Amino acid sequence: METATPNYLLIIGGVLFVMLNVAALLIWVERRGLALFQDRYGPNRAGPLGLFIVAADSIKLFFKQDWIPPFADKPVFILAPAIVVVTVLMSFVVIPFAPGIIVADLNIGLLFFLAMSSMGAYSIILGGWASNNKYSLLGAMRGAAQMISYEVFMGLSLMGVVLLSGSFSLVEIVEAQRGLWFFIPQIVGFVIFFIAGIAETHRLPFDIPEAESELIAGFHSEYSGMKFGMFFIGEYMGITLISCMIVTLYFGGWLGPDFLPPIVWFILKTLFFLLIFVLLRASMPRPRYDQLMEYGWKVLLPLTLLNLMVTAGVVLWMNE
């Protein structure tokens, strides 16, 4: 059995440190971005450009009373927020940020990502159920149906990329894009993956599980303090993960002109998609729950299957 080298441990520590801090910084980016898009002031008092709002929020969450309702199922109630953070962090294990900067180059990296994103559904289901609250349970049921449904379209949309690259390894998928980024031949797969990613992270316009005008705060209504903070961090790490996956699968990962290092190209592309997530929140209305499910099964499923069939046919024809 191989022992972990110092360099390997440095990569693990670096990924953990950066991802947890990116999630915190995204709070500030989103608030400033929403203010810009909606023509109003964002955070502008605490520190330069309101940057210290991140520290203020973090300190507030750490020192807030960690209250567990007496009617809740205590062990499950405590476990649920941890699941979302662990599953998202585990997904970052297989993402290649640059040549040599990856925690584990698994030959089934794409399947590992899909498995971890599926596990994330448990945090919503268990959190809502353990709260023993009708609003929380309704939010959990919505979240379960939404996440499980859109995982189907997410998985199928990625199969076109697998056919073109001939591999489930994310490093090999990036290398296969040296001639042409996959978002051009797989534009349909990219759009479906992006929509499914929004639904998986339950961000606006698909924040149905926590629709505040209907369900107070949905599945995390009974959570406070750092347990609520873990759901919050999990959501922001989730959109970072989806942005990283879009860049890796469809936009050439770290590939770019030589005047910038590969890691910088990866960061710039990821930041672009993070800003798209913020823009969507600022501009899109929330659909009804039945519309969301109908859109998935009646529109996205046929499109993913058609994309898969056409891609398979073209690959077969080109290999003859």
Side-chain angles (χ1 to χ4, degrees), residues 132-161:
N132 200 8
N133 171 310
K134 291 182 177 64
Y135 287 116
S136 299
L137 185 60
L138 277 170
M141 288 169 66
R142 285 181 173 195
Q146 177 178 318
M147 290 182 79
I148 291 166
S149 298
Y150 276 79
E151 272 161 25
V152 174
F153 321 132
M154 180 181 274
L156 286 172
S157 68
L158 297 178
M159 291 306 105
V161 169

PDB file of all heavy atoms in Angstrom, residues 132-161:
ATOM      1  N   ASN A 132     -39.411  16.725  11.890  1.00  0.00           N
ATOM      2  CA  ASN A 132     -40.766  16.440  12.402  1.00  0.00           C
ATOM      3  C   ASN A 132     -41.648  17.684  12.283  1.00  0.00           C
ATOM      4  O   ASN A 132     -42.377  18.042  13.213  1.00  0.00           O
ATOM      5  CB  ASN A 132     -40.689  15.955  13.863  1.00  0.00           C
ATOM      6  CG  ASN A 132     -41.951  15.192  14.257  1.00  0.00           C
ATOM      7  OD1 ASN A 132     -42.799  14.902  13.404  1.00  0.00           O
ATOM      8  ND2 ASN A 132     -42.081  14.890  15.536  1.00  0.00           N
ATOM      9  N   ASN A 133     -41.551  18.317  11.126  1.00  0.00           N
ATOM     10  CA  ASN A 133     -42.278  19.552  10.862  1.00  0.00           C
ATOM     11  C   ASN A 133     -42.900  19.427   9.475  1.00  0.00           C
ATOM     12  O   ASN A 133     -42.233  18.996   8.540  1.00  0.00           O
ATOM     13  CB  ASN A 133     -41.271  20.711  10.928  1.00  0.00           C
ATOM     14  CG  ASN A 133     -41.823  22.036  10.464  1.00  0.00           C
ATOM     15  OD1 ASN A 133     -42.407  22.132   9.390  1.00  0.00           O
ATOM     16  ND2 ASN A 133     -41.609  23.063  11.253  1.00  0.00           N
ATOM     17  N   LYS A 134     -44.151  19.790   9.329  1.00  0.00           N
ATOM     18  CA  LYS A 134     -44.845  19.569   8.057  1.00  0.00           C
ATOM     19  C   LYS A 134     -44.223  20.363   6.905  1.00  0.00           C
ATOM     20  O   LYS A 134     -44.091  19.858   5.793  1.00  0.00           O
ATOM     21  CB  LYS A 134     -46.331  19.927   8.209  1.00  0.00           C
ATOM     22  CG  LYS A 134     -47.097  18.960   9.100  1.00  0.00           C
ATOM     23  CD  LYS A 134     -48.557  19.334   9.178  1.00  0.00           C
ATOM     24  CE  LYS A 134     -49.327  18.315  10.012  1.00  0.00           C
ATOM     25  NZ  LYS A 134     -48.887  18.293  11.416  1.00  0.00           N
ATOM     26  N   TYR A 135     -43.841  21.609   7.177  1.00  0.00           N
ATOM     27  CA  TYR A 135     -43.207  22.410   6.126  1.00  0.00           C
ATOM     28  C   TYR A 135     -41.874  21.790   5.708  1.00  0.00           C
ATOM     29  O   TYR A 135     -41.536  21.727   4.522  1.00  0.00           O
ATOM     30  CB  TYR A 135     -42.979  23.843   6.605  1.00  0.00           C
ATOM     31  CG  TYR A 135     -44.243  24.670   6.703  1.00  0.00           C
ATOM     32  CD1 TYR A 135     -44.679  25.157   7.930  1.00  0.00           C
ATOM     33  CD2 TYR A 135     -44.992  24.963   5.572  1.00  0.00           C
ATOM     34  CE1 TYR A 135     -45.834  25.914   8.030  1.00  0.00           C
ATOM     35  CE2 TYR A 135     -46.143  25.723   5.651  1.00  0.00           C
ATOM     36  CZ  TYR A 135     -46.565  26.198   6.883  1.00  0.00           C
ATOM     37  OH  TYR A 135     -47.700  26.943   6.963  1.00  0.00           O
ATOM     38  N   SER A 136     -41.104  21.335   6.687  1.00  0.00           N
ATOM     39  CA  SER A 136     -39.812  20.709   6.391  1.00  0.00           C
ATOM     40  C   SER A 136     -40.002  19.434   5.584  1.00  0.00           C
ATOM     41  O   SER A 136     -39.253  19.171   4.629  1.00  0.00           O
ATOM     42  CB  SER A 136     -39.069  20.388   7.690  1.00  0.00           C
ATOM     43  OG  SER A 136     -38.803  21.544   8.423  1.00  0.00           O
ATOM     44  N   LEU A 137     -41.006  18.641   5.959  1.00  0.00           N
ATOM     45  CA  LEU A 137     -41.258  17.381   5.261  1.00  0.00           C
ATOM     46  C   LEU A 137     -41.688  17.627   3.820  1.00  0.00           C
ATOM     47  O   LEU A 137     -41.249  16.929   2.898  1.00  0.00           O
ATOM     48  CB  LEU A 137     -42.321  16.564   6.008  1.00  0.00           C
ATOM     49  CG  LEU A 137     -42.590  15.160   5.446  1.00  0.00           C
ATOM     50  CD1 LEU A 137     -41.319  14.314   5.474  1.00  0.00           C
ATOM     51  CD2 LEU A 137     -43.695  14.465   6.226  1.00  0.00           C
ATOM     52  N   LEU A 138     -42.540  18.637   3.624  1.00  0.00           N
ATOM     53  CA  LEU A 138     -42.961  18.983   2.256  1.00  0.00           C
ATOM     54  C   LEU A 138     -41.757  19.409   1.413  1.00  0.00           C
ATOM     55  O   LEU A 138     -41.620  19.007   0.258  1.00  0.00           O
ATOM     56  CB  LEU A 138     -43.984  20.120   2.291  1.00  0.00           C
ATOM     57  CG  LEU A 138     -45.439  19.726   2.546  1.00  0.00           C
ATOM     58  CD1 LEU A 138     -46.286  20.964   2.788  1.00  0.00           C
ATOM     59  CD2 LEU A 138     -46.001  18.944   1.370  1.00  0.00           C
ATOM     60  N   GLY A 139     -40.876  20.226   2.013  1.00  0.00           N
ATOM     61  CA  GLY A 139     -39.662  20.651   1.313  1.00  0.00           C
ATOM     62  C   GLY A 139     -38.760  19.475   0.979  1.00  0.00           C
ATOM     63  O   GLY A 139     -38.190  19.402  -0.108  1.00  0.00           O
ATOM     64  N   ALA A 140     -38.655  18.526   1.939  1.00  0.00           N
ATOM     65  CA  ALA A 140     -37.822  17.336   1.719  1.00  0.00           C
ATOM     66  C   ALA A 140     -38.386  16.464   0.598  1.00  0.00           C
ATOM     67  O   ALA A 140     -37.632  15.937  -0.235  1.00  0.00           O
ATOM     68  CB  ALA A 140     -37.718  16.537   3.011  1.00  0.00           C
ATOM     69  N   MET A 141     -39.712  16.306   0.572  1.00  0.00           N
ATOM     70  CA  MET A 141     -40.343  15.495  -0.484  1.00  0.00           C
ATOM     71  C   MET A 141     -40.140  16.131  -1.860  1.00  0.00           C
ATOM     72  O   MET A 141     -39.830  15.459  -2.837  1.00  0.00           O
ATOM     73  CB  MET A 141     -41.834  15.329  -0.192  1.00  0.00           C
ATOM     74  CG  MET A 141     -42.123  14.399   0.984  1.00  0.00           C
ATOM     75  SD  MET A 141     -43.842  14.481   1.510  1.00  0.00           S
ATOM     76  CE  MET A 141     -44.672  13.792   0.092  1.00  0.00           C
ATOM     77  N   ARG A 142     -40.303  17.447  -1.911  1.00  0.00           N
ATOM     78  CA  ARG A 142     -40.055  18.159  -3.167  1.00  0.00           C
ATOM     79  C   ARG A 142     -38.595  17.997  -3.597  1.00  0.00           C
ATOM     80  O   ARG A 142     -38.292  17.740  -4.764  1.00  0.00           O
ATOM     81  CB  ARG A 142     -40.336  19.653  -2.986  1.00  0.00           C
ATOM     82  CG  ARG A 142     -41.798  20.033  -2.936  1.00  0.00           C
ATOM     83  CD  ARG A 142     -41.906  21.534  -2.774  1.00  0.00           C
ATOM     84  NE  ARG A 142     -43.266  22.006  -2.884  1.00  0.00           N
ATOM     85  CZ  ARG A 142     -43.593  23.282  -3.057  1.00  0.00           C
ATOM     86  NH1 ARG A 142     -42.635  24.191  -3.120  1.00  0.00           N
ATOM     87  NH2 ARG A 142     -44.846  23.655  -3.153  1.00  0.00           N
ATOM     88  N   GLY A 143     -37.690  18.185  -2.626  1.00  0.00           N
ATOM     89  CA  GLY A 143     -36.264  18.084  -2.916  1.00  0.00           C
ATOM     90  C   GLY A 143     -35.878  16.705  -3.405  1.00  0.00           C
ATOM     91  O   GLY A 143     -35.088  16.569  -4.350  1.00  0.00           O
ATOM     92  N   ALA A 144     -36.437  15.669  -2.767  1.00  0.00           N
ATOM     93  CA  ALA A 144     -36.119  14.293  -3.160  1.00  0.00           C
ATOM     94  C   ALA A 144     -36.568  14.032  -4.594  1.00  0.00           C
ATOM     95  O   ALA A 144     -35.791  13.516  -5.421  1.00  0.00           O
ATOM     96  CB  ALA A 144     -36.797  13.312  -2.203  1.00  0.00           C
ATOM     97  N   ALA A 145     -37.808  14.401  -4.904  1.00  0.00           N
ATOM     98  CA  ALA A 145     -38.334  14.168  -6.257  1.00  0.00           C
ATOM     99  C   ALA A 145     -37.529  14.943  -7.294  1.00  0.00           C
ATOM    100  O   ALA A 145     -37.174  14.412  -8.355  1.00  0.00           O
ATOM    101  CB  ALA A 145     -39.801  14.579  -6.310  1.00  0.00           C
ATOM    102  N   GLN A 146     -37.213  16.208  -6.964  1.00  0.00           N
ATOM    103  CA  GLN A 146     -36.473  17.066  -7.897  1.00  0.00           C
ATOM    104  C   GLN A 146     -35.067  16.543  -8.150  1.00  0.00           C
ATOM    105  O   GLN A 146     -34.633  16.404  -9.300  1.00  0.00           O
ATOM    106  CB  GLN A 146     -36.411  18.481  -7.319  1.00  0.00           C
ATOM    107  CG  GLN A 146     -35.617  19.461  -8.142  1.00  0.00           C
ATOM    108  CD  GLN A 146     -35.653  20.856  -7.529  1.00  0.00           C
ATOM    109  OE1 GLN A 146     -36.693  21.309  -7.083  1.00  0.00           O
ATOM    110  NE2 GLN A 146     -34.527  21.531  -7.502  1.00  0.00           N
ATOM    111  N   MET A 147     -34.344  16.223  -7.073  1.00  0.00           N
ATOM    112  CA  MET A 147     -32.946  15.804  -7.227  1.00  0.00           C
ATOM    113  C   MET A 147     -32.828  14.444  -7.902  1.00  0.00           C
ATOM    114  O   MET A 147     -31.987  14.248  -8.786  1.00  0.00           O
ATOM    115  CB  MET A 147     -32.255  15.781  -5.866  1.00  0.00           C
ATOM    116  CG  MET A 147     -32.034  17.175  -5.295  1.00  0.00           C
ATOM    117  SD  MET A 147     -31.184  17.163  -3.721  1.00  0.00           S
ATOM    118  CE  MET A 147     -29.493  16.916  -4.240  1.00  0.00           C
ATOM    119  N   ILE A 148     -33.682  13.515  -7.524  1.00  0.00           N
ATOM    120  CA  ILE A 148     -33.612  12.171  -8.115  1.00  0.00           C
ATOM    121  C   ILE A 148     -33.990  12.222  -9.591  1.00  0.00           C
ATOM    122  O   ILE A 148     -33.367  11.570 -10.437  1.00  0.00           O
ATOM    123  CB  ILE A 148     -34.500  11.181  -7.322  1.00  0.00           C
ATOM    124  CG1 ILE A 148     -33.897  10.941  -5.930  1.00  0.00           C
ATOM    125  CG2 ILE A 148     -34.645   9.861  -8.069  1.00  0.00           C
ATOM    126  CD1 ILE A 148     -34.820  10.259  -4.950  1.00  0.00           C
ATOM    127  N   SER A 149     -35.016  13.036  -9.929  1.00  0.00           N
ATOM    128  CA  SER A 149     -35.437  13.153 -11.336  1.00  0.00           C
ATOM    129  C   SER A 149     -34.330  13.773 -12.184  1.00  0.00           C
ATOM    130  O   SER A 149     -33.980  13.250 -13.247  1.00  0.00           O
ATOM    131  CB  SER A 149     -36.699  14.011 -11.442  1.00  0.00           C
ATOM    132  OG  SER A 149     -37.771  13.419 -10.759  1.00  0.00           O
ATOM    133  N   TYR A 150     -33.787  14.891 -11.722  1.00  0.00           N
ATOM    134  CA  TYR A 150     -32.816  15.611 -12.546  1.00  0.00           C
ATOM    135  C   TYR A 150     -31.451  14.926 -12.586  1.00  0.00           C
ATOM    136  O   TYR A 150     -30.642  15.215 -13.469  1.00  0.00           O
ATOM    137  CB  TYR A 150     -32.715  17.073 -12.093  1.00  0.00           C
ATOM    138  CG  TYR A 150     -33.807  17.913 -12.718  1.00  0.00           C
ATOM    139  CD1 TYR A 150     -35.102  17.895 -12.209  1.00  0.00           C
ATOM    140  CD2 TYR A 150     -33.569  18.676 -13.852  1.00  0.00           C
ATOM    141  CE1 TYR A 150     -36.124  18.640 -12.795  1.00  0.00           C
ATOM    142  CE2 TYR A 150     -34.566  19.415 -14.452  1.00  0.00           C
ATOM    143  CZ  TYR A 150     -35.848  19.395 -13.929  1.00  0.00           C
ATOM    144  OH  TYR A 150     -36.853  20.124 -14.528  1.00  0.00           O
ATOM    145  N   GLU A 151     -31.192  13.998 -11.644  1.00  0.00           N
ATOM    146  CA  GLU A 151     -29.975  13.177 -11.751  1.00  0.00           C
ATOM    147  C   GLU A 151     -30.018  12.296 -12.993  1.00  0.00           C
ATOM    148  O   GLU A 151     -28.983  12.021 -13.608  1.00  0.00           O
ATOM    149  CB  GLU A 151     -29.821  12.291 -10.514  1.00  0.00           C
ATOM    150  CG  GLU A 151     -29.071  12.964  -9.374  1.00  0.00           C
ATOM    151  CD  GLU A 151     -29.316  12.280  -8.047  1.00  0.00           C
ATOM    152  OE1 GLU A 151     -29.653  11.080  -8.059  1.00  0.00           O
ATOM    153  OE2 GLU A 151     -29.187  12.936  -7.014  1.00  0.00           O
ATOM    154  N   VAL A 152     -31.218  11.848 -13.355  1.00  0.00           N
ATOM    155  CA  VAL A 152     -31.383  11.000 -14.544  1.00  0.00           C
ATOM    156  C   VAL A 152     -30.916  11.769 -15.784  1.00  0.00           C
ATOM    157  O   VAL A 152     -30.129  11.273 -16.589  1.00  0.00           O
ATOM    158  CB  VAL A 152     -32.860  10.562 -14.703  1.00  0.00           C
ATOM    159  CG1 VAL A 152     -33.058   9.802 -16.011  1.00  0.00           C
ATOM    160  CG2 VAL A 152     -33.300   9.716 -13.525  1.00  0.00           C
ATOM    161  N   PHE A 153     -31.401  13.013 -15.919  1.00  0.00           N
ATOM    162  CA  PHE A 153     -31.058  13.814 -17.111  1.00  0.00           C
ATOM    163  C   PHE A 153     -29.598  14.231 -17.071  1.00  0.00           C
ATOM    164  O   PHE A 153     -28.943  14.309 -18.110  1.00  0.00           O
ATOM    165  CB  PHE A 153     -31.965  15.050 -17.207  1.00  0.00           C
ATOM    166  CG  PHE A 153     -33.391  14.784 -16.820  1.00  0.00           C
ATOM    167  CD1 PHE A 153     -34.058  15.616 -15.939  1.00  0.00           C
ATOM    168  CD2 PHE A 153     -34.061  13.673 -17.317  1.00  0.00           C
ATOM    169  CE1 PHE A 153     -35.366  15.353 -15.567  1.00  0.00           C
ATOM    170  CE2 PHE A 153     -35.372  13.410 -16.945  1.00  0.00           C
ATOM    171  CZ  PHE A 153     -36.024  14.250 -16.070  1.00  0.00           C
ATOM    172  N   MET A 154     -29.086  14.498 -15.862  1.00  0.00           N
ATOM    173  CA  MET A 154     -27.681  14.872 -15.725  1.00  0.00           C
ATOM    174  C   MET A 154     -26.773  13.736 -16.192  1.00  0.00           C
ATOM    175  O   MET A 154     -25.840  13.948 -16.981  1.00  0.00           O
ATOM    176  CB  MET A 154     -27.365  15.220 -14.264  1.00  0.00           C
ATOM    177  CG  MET A 154     -25.934  15.618 -14.021  1.00  0.00           C
ATOM    178  SD  MET A 154     -25.593  15.982 -12.295  1.00  0.00           S
ATOM    179  CE  MET A 154     -26.050  17.690 -12.224  1.00  0.00           C
ATOM    180  N   GLY A 155     -27.063  12.522 -15.723  1.00  0.00           N
ATOM    181  CA  GLY A 155     -26.254  11.356 -16.103  1.00  0.00           C
ATOM    182  C   GLY A 155     -26.314  11.076 -17.587  1.00  0.00           C
ATOM    183  O   GLY A 155     -25.278  10.839 -18.235  1.00  0.00           O
ATOM    184  N   LEU A 156     -27.525  11.136 -18.172  1.00  0.00           N
ATOM    185  CA  LEU A 156     -27.674  10.853 -19.606  1.00  0.00           C
ATOM    186  C   LEU A 156     -27.021  11.934 -20.461  1.00  0.00           C
ATOM    187  O   LEU A 156     -26.475  11.642 -21.527  1.00  0.00           O
ATOM    188  CB  LEU A 156     -29.165  10.733 -19.962  1.00  0.00           C
ATOM    189  CG  LEU A 156     -29.862   9.440 -19.509  1.00  0.00           C
ATOM    190  CD1 LEU A 156     -31.360   9.528 -19.736  1.00  0.00           C
ATOM    191  CD2 LEU A 156     -29.308   8.229 -20.250  1.00  0.00           C
ATOM    192  N   SER A 157     -27.058  13.192 -19.997  1.00  0.00           N
ATOM    193  CA  SER A 157     -26.462  14.275 -20.791  1.00  0.00           C
ATOM    194  C   SER A 157     -24.941  14.130 -20.891  1.00  0.00           C
ATOM    195  O   SER A 157     -24.327  14.624 -21.836  1.00  0.00           O
ATOM    196  CB  SER A 157     -26.815  15.637 -20.178  1.00  0.00           C
ATOM    197  OG  SER A 157     -26.180  15.812 -18.928  1.00  0.00           O
ATOM    198  N   LEU A 158     -24.335  13.457 -19.897  1.00  0.00           N
ATOM    199  CA  LEU A 158     -22.875  13.285 -19.887  1.00  0.00           C
ATOM    200  C   LEU A 158     -22.400  12.147 -20.793  1.00  0.00           C
ATOM    201  O   LEU A 158     -21.214  12.055 -21.092  1.00  0.00           O
ATOM    202  CB  LEU A 158     -22.393  13.013 -18.456  1.00  0.00           C
ATOM    203  CG  LEU A 158     -22.626  14.128 -17.436  1.00  0.00           C
ATOM    204  CD1 LEU A 158     -22.146  13.692 -16.070  1.00  0.00           C
ATOM    205  CD2 LEU A 158     -21.918  15.395 -17.863  1.00  0.00           C
ATOM    206  N   MET A 159     -23.318  11.287 -21.198  1.00  0.00           N
ATOM    207  CA  MET A 159     -22.903  10.122 -21.988  1.00  0.00           C
ATOM    208  C   MET A 159     -22.359  10.506 -23.362  1.00  0.00           C
ATOM    209  O   MET A 159     -21.522   9.805 -23.928  1.00  0.00           O
ATOM    210  CB  MET A 159     -24.073   9.138 -22.136  1.00  0.00           C
ATOM    211  CG  MET A 159     -24.460   8.439 -20.832  1.00  0.00           C
ATOM    212  SD  MET A 159     -23.072   7.613 -20.007  1.00  0.00           S
ATOM    213  CE  MET A 159     -22.734   8.710 -18.657  1.00  0.00           C
ATOM    214  N   GLY A 160     -22.821  11.644 -23.892  1.00  0.00           N
ATOM    215  CA  GLY A 160     -22.263  12.127 -25.163  1.00  0.00           C
ATOM    216  C   GLY A 160     -20.789  12.460 -25.035  1.00  0.00           C
ATOM    217  O   GLY A 160     -19.985  12.153 -25.914  1.00  0.00           O
ATOM    218  N   VAL A 161     -20.414  13.080 -23.913  1.00  0.00           N
ATOM    219  CA  VAL A 161     -19.009  13.406 -23.637  1.00  0.00           C
ATOM    220  C   VAL A 161     -18.185  12.122 -23.513  1.00  0.00           C
ATOM    221  O   VAL A 161     -17.066  12.036 -24.025  1.00  0.00           O
ATOM    222  CB  VAL A 161     -18.901  14.252 -22.338  1.00  0.00           C
ATOM    223  CG1 VAL A 161     -17.461  14.384 -21.878  1.00  0.00           C
ATOM    224  CG2 VAL A 161     -19.517  15.624 -22.550  1.00  0.00           C
TER     225      VAL A 161
END
